[in-house]
Amino acid sequence: MNIMDFNVKKLAADAGTFLSRAVQFTEEKLGQAEKTELDAHLENLLSKAECTKIWTEKIMKQTEVLLQPNPNARIEEFVYEKLDRKAPSRINNPELLGQYMIDAGTEFGPGTAYGNALIKCGETQKRIGTADRELIQTSALNFLTPLRNFIEGDYKTIAKERKLLQNKRLDLDAAKTRLKKAKAAETRASSEQELRITQSEFDRQAEITRLLLEGISSTHAHHLRCLNDFVEAQMTYYAQCYQYMLDLQKQLGSFPSNYHCNNNQTSVAPVPSASSNVIGSSALTSTSGLVITSPSNLTDLKECSGSRKARVLYDYDAANSTELSLLADEVITVFSVVGMDSDWLMGERGNQKGRVPITYLELLN
């Protein structure tokens, strides 16, 4: 037998197998043939794998959107990744905003209050942009890549073996159908032999598929570690941004913090970004662990005409001559003045006197 004859016979056998499977599948759909059901454990494993694949894809895609909101940039990064080339480095939004602020501040004059503030803000925005890059790189390496490897690697292998299991099941059921229809003894013996072979192949493929599917639990454990890495990367990023803004707030403390607009709006006292113990206040705790407070119980001091001692919680630089500069942990005397804005008290230290923001104080008994 030459190679050509062998190939012809193989093609004929493959075509016959494909036709047999197609007939069996069609008759099952029409309710004209019995179908071998998989055991409940294997069915549960298949369902778990499919569920894992669906949600992994959704989480992966939405994480990509979170890290890179620009769809065009995501497409560009995808193309470069498929070409196995490094995407060109591009300036991100915080960095671009920071550069605009620095350029504007330079144009207005670094010696002016507004120009100097713009430059400081711009430098902080660029630092946030750098932190943003680090978050994207760390998250892509420790979180997105493992998820993508599962979808493009492990799950593709599972899907391939699952398809083979489906084909072996169709072969088995087709053999059962032929055995039922066999009448002659010779035909029946041949059908019984075919059934034993197809049953053995089906059982072997079911075991292979089961072993692969049981690895999904290990996949979940691995993805849990990756999720922890992602959370840690976000925590680091937000902590950096908070620290950058806290430093910026302190740098801007020497600039006027309240301005009178053209419509003569009342000035508003500056509010510290975090506090653990503010005058008789009710605390609202955020998920980041910061406690934001509001001075809701200052009514006692507002309604009485006497003075009280108060401890200063944060440094505060007076914006103008009507205000009093404060140092953290010092104790001053405070009292209310009729007609003063509700966010301010009058503070007194020795022979120095001036308005102080209530959110920077803790009343003492």
Side-chain angles (χ1 to χ4, degrees):
M1 180 186 297
N2 58 36
I3 297 178
M4 183 172 291
D5 291 338
F6 176 78
N7 289 337
V8 170
K9 289 186 177 182
K10 186 176 185 303
L11 288 173
D14 291 343
T17 302
F18 177 79
L19 180 60
S20 174
R21 291 170 179 170
V23 171
Q24 177 66 27
F25 182 79
T26 303
E27 290 180 349
E28 288 175 1
K29 290 298 181 181
L30 296 176
Q32 299 175 355
E34 295 182 0
K35 174 182 176 181
T36 299
E37 299 294 341
L38 302 176
D39 65 80
H41 178 61
L42 187 55
E43 286 285 7
N44 288 336
L45 289 175
L46 287 168
S47 176
K48 184 178 180 180
E50 182 66 18
C51 182
T52 300
K53 180 251 186 182
I54 291 172
W55 285 110
T56 299
E57 284 183 330
K58 289 183 177 181
I59 291 172
M60 183 178 68
K61 290 179 180 178
Q62 192 57 40
T63 302
E64 290 173 344
V65 172
L66 173 69
L67 297 176
Q68 178 50 269
N70 188 336
N72 294 329
R74 290 201 304 274
I75 293 174
E76 181 183 48
E77 291 171 358
F78 175 79
V79 171
Y80 274 100
E81 181 181 346
K82 291 303 179 183
L83 294 175
D84 198 20
R85 294 173 57 188
K86 184 178 180 180
S89 179
R90 299 186 182 279
I91 188 169
N92 57 31
N93 290 331
E95 289 173 333
L96 184 59
L97 174 60
Q99 191 58 53
Y100 285 165
M101 285 182 168
I102 291 173
D103 293 344
T106 303
E107 182 78 15
F108 296 146
T112 65
Y114 184 41
N116 196 354
L118 278 172
I119 292 175
K120 292 181 183 296
C121 289
E123 291 170 347
T124 299
Q125 290 297 329
K126 296 186 80 170
R127 294 173 71 188
I128 290 176
T130 300
D132 190 61
R133 287 183 184 279
E134 293 173 354
L135 171 65
I136 293 174
Q137 292 173 358
T138 303
S139 300
L141 179 64
N142 297 334
F143 187 60
L144 288 177
T145 298
L147 298 188
R148 188 176 293 109
N149 288 341
F150 167 74
I151 296 297
E152 298 179 355
D154 294 350
Y155 189 79
K156 280 190 176 181
T157 302
I158 291 174
K160 178 183 176 182
E161 297 301 329
R162 182 177 184 175
K163 180 64 177 177
L164 285 174
L165 178 63
Q166 170 73 351
N167 289 338
K168 296 300 182 183
R169 202 271 306 162
L170 289 171
D171 292 342
L172 174 61
D173 289 336
K176 290 179 179 178
T177 301
R178 282 191 290 272
L179 179 60
K180 287 182 180 180
K181 294 179 179 179
K183 295 181 179 179
E186 183 179 349
T187 305
R188 190 170 185 82
S190 175
S191 297
E192 288 175 349
Q193 176 66 17
E194 180 188 15
L195 178 60
R196 284 194 293 272
I197 294 173
T198 54
Q199 181 70 59
S200 175
E201 291 179 347
F202 171 75
D203 292 341
R204 183 178 62 185
Q205 185 59 39
E207 180 65 14
I208 292 173
T209 306
R210 181 184 65 78
L211 290 174
L212 280 173
L213 291 171
E214 286 178 345
I216 290 295
S217 296
S218 298
T219 298
H220 283 190
H222 178 52
H223 287 181
L224 174 59
R225 291 192 294 271
C226 296
L227 182 61
N228 285 331
D229 290 341
F230 179 53
V231 171
E232 185 175 347
Q234 284 188 303
M235 182 182 68
T236 300
Y237 168 73
Y238 289 118
Q240 285 178 324
C241 292
Y242 170 74
Q243 188 59 50
Y244 293 157
M245 298 311 295
L246 196 63
D247 293 342
L248 176 62
Q249 185 186 48
K250 292 179 179 178
Q251 292 179 42
L252 297 181
S254 58
F255 299 111
S257 58
N258 54 319
Y259 293 90
H260 289 283
C261 300
N262 291 334
N263 57 359
N264 293 323
Q265 292 179 339
T266 305
S267 61
V268 179
V271 180
S273 56
S275 172
S276 59
N277 186 18
V278 179
I279 329 174
S281 62
S282 58
L284 302 175
T285 305
S286 67
T287 55
S288 63
L290 301 181
V291 180
I292 303 173
T293 56
S294 59
S296 57
N297 295 332
L298 286 169
T299 310
D300 295 343
L301 181 61
K302 288 291 184 179
E303 291 179 349
C304 72
S305 57
S307 61
R308 294 277 296 275
K309 293 292 184 180
R311 183 175 67 86
V312 178
L313 298 174
Y314 314 99
D315 290 346
Y316 176 70
D317 293 323
N320 52 53
S321 59
T322 67
E323 298 177 9
L324 180 65
S325 294
L326 304 173
L327 293 175
D329 294 325
E330 71 171 326
V331 176
I332 64 172
T333 302
V334 294
F335 54 93
S336 62
V337 175
V338 177
M340 181 177 289
D341 188 279
S342 60
D343 291 330
W344 297 81
L345 291 172
M346 186 61 71
E348 191 174 71
R349 183 203 305 113
N351 59 356
Q352 294 180 320
K353 185 184 298 185
R355 298 191 310 153
V356 293
I358 57 176
T359 50
Y360 281 62
L361 305 174
E362 175 191 12
L363 281 181
L364 302 177
N365 294 328

